[in-house]
Each structure stands twice: as structure tokens, then as C-alpha cells.
Amino acid sequence: MKHCPKCGVFVAGNRSLCPLCQSPLTGDWDGEAPDFPTLPSGFPRRALALRILAFLTFAGLAVCAAVNFSIPDHGWWVLYVAGGLASAWILLLLFLKKMRSPLKNLIYQTGAAALLCLLWDLATGWHRWSLDLALPIVFLACMALMLGIAVIRRIPPADCLLYFGESILLGLVPAVLLLCGVIQLPLPSLICGSAAVVFLAGLVMFFWGPFWAEIRRRFHI
């Protein structure tokens, strides 16, 4: 059995480095298997799927660019294709990175989608559709999906109340912008703000104790 001079422990299996301090091990392997089997690293099917999807993305973009350069009279619409594909990849990679926590994933996806809508609005001449329509719809969908995921997956209240609070704060953003005179189309923002107020009332009336305890625990209040 191999030995780590630094930690003073014996390590089973044919390792070259100590699992505790990563120092080189001494001694010879006696053929004994490790206590815990080595798990396969990564997700080969997912990696293969991502490579295929990336290849199809570049291939499709190349075809669109060739068609656009051959017929330039209709404008450089290939830039919109490239921007759309880049936006889709950002959301996909963010989803895969945070998929172990569905509620946190939803918050990240909502923030990224809202930011991408603002950038698209700026890039296309700033027609304010991102403020008037996109943000209220995205934030309202976030609150609805948050409730649906928590109910379907039976997530304990202590594990989801903080994310509910974050979704409520996002839902109040269009109402604040409406009060500040930034939004020109009031109805979507009013609906989103009203839903956020209803969610906030339910959170305070039924789950204020666990919610406040979770805030104190996470922020060390």
C-alpha cells in the first residue's frame, strides 16, 4: 500500500498523488483496489451533443453568410443570425452550468434573457420594446415557472423561498420603471407588478418566518 510522507496516511489503489494534499506517494502498489471506485469524468454524450450542435451552428452561419454576401441588396441580415445564435448559446451554456439547481438556474436564465433583450433593442435602434414588453413578460414567466418548479419537484420551502424573493424583486422592476416614466406601454408592467405584489403577499403571510431565517442564514445577519 502506498504512503504519503506529508499526511502520514496510507492510500489504497495505484495512485501517484495523495488525494488529500496532492503530494507524490511513496511505496509500491500491492494490487489492492481503492476504497472508492473511480467515477467517469464528464458527460461524454452531452459533450458529443454540444460538439455536434456547435458544428451545425457554424455550418449554418457559414451558409447564411455565403448567401448574404452573394445577395447583399437585402441588407446584412447575417449579423442578426449571428446575434441570435450567440444569444441561444449563451442561454444554453448558462442552463447547463446551473442545471443542478433548477431555481437558481431560472434566476440566472431570467437575468440573462432580460439583458439580451435590452442589448437586442439597443442594437436594432432602441424601439423600447425591451422595456415595454420583454422585461414584464420575462419576469412574469420567471415567477410562474418558479412556482411550478417548486410544486412539481416538491422543493422544501426553506430551499426555495430566497429564490422566490429574488423573482419577486425582478417582477417589481417594471412597475418601478413605470412609476419613473421610463415605460410607455403600461399594461404589461401593471400585470407583472400586480403578480409580484400577490406573490409577495403570499410569501409574507404564509412563509415569513422561514424566509427571514433563510435570509439571516445566507447573509449572516
Side-chain angles (χ1 to χ4, degrees):
M1 184 177 292
K2 292 191 174 184
H3 179 260
C4 176
K6 185 175 181 180
C7 298
V9 298
F10 291 93
V11 180
N14 190 21
R15 292 175 176 267
S16 59
L17 299 177
C18 175
L20 300 178
C21 65
Q22 300 301 311
S23 299
L25 296 174
T26 60
D28 297 325
W29 180 45
D30 55 5
E32 184 180 359
D35 295 333
F36 299 98
T38 303
L39 296 177
S41 59
F43 302 90
R45 291 184 180 179
R46 181 191 300 176
L48 178 61
L50 286 176
R51 291 180 183 181
I52 294 175
L53 187 59
F55 172 77
L56 294 177
T57 299
F58 283 110
L61 184 59
V63 171
C64 292
V67 173
N68 197 179
F69 276 98
S70 63
I71 311 175
D73 298 336
H74 299 284
W76 298 110
W77 50 266
V78 68
L79 298 177
Y80 294 99
V81 176
L85 292 174
S87 300
W89 269 100
I90 290 173
L91 294 176
L92 175 61
L93 294 177
L94 187 60
F95 172 78
L96 294 176
K97 185 177 181 180
K98 300 293 182 181
M99 66 182 304
R100 295 184 182 273
S101 177
L103 298 183
K104 181 186 291 188
N105 195 345
L106 181 58
I107 293 294
Y108 275 88
Q109 290 283 334
T110 301
L115 180 59
L116 287 173
C117 288
L118 290 171
L119 293 177
W120 270 100
D121 200 359
L122 284 171
T124 54
W126 189 245
H127 299 289
R128 307 178 71 90
W129 56 264
S130 59
L131 297 176
D132 293 340
L133 293 173
L135 293 190
I137 293 174
V138 169
F139 294 154
L140 183 61
C142 175
M143 290 185 287
L145 289 173
M146 186 78 65
L147 180 60
I149 293 174
V151 172
I152 293 174
R153 302 196 61 168
R154 299 180 180 179
I155 301 177
D159 296 336
C160 63
L161 290 178
L162 187 63
Y163 299 116
F164 265 100
E166 294 175 355
S167 68
I168 290 170
L169 290 178
L170 291 175
L172 292 174
V173 169
V176 174
L177 296 177
L178 180 62
L179 293 175
C180 295
V182 178
I183 290 179
Q184 299 176 346
L185 186 63
L187 183 59
S189 298
L190 288 174
I191 295 175
C192 183
S194 300
V197 170
V198 172
F199 271 80
L200 179 61
L203 186 64
V204 171
M205 291 180 182
F206 298 103
F207 300 103
W208 175 250
F211 178 65
W212 179 243
E214 184 68 13
I215 290 179
R216 293 180 61 184
R217 184 182 70 84
R218 287 181 177 266
F219 295 101
H220 307 286
I221 298 177

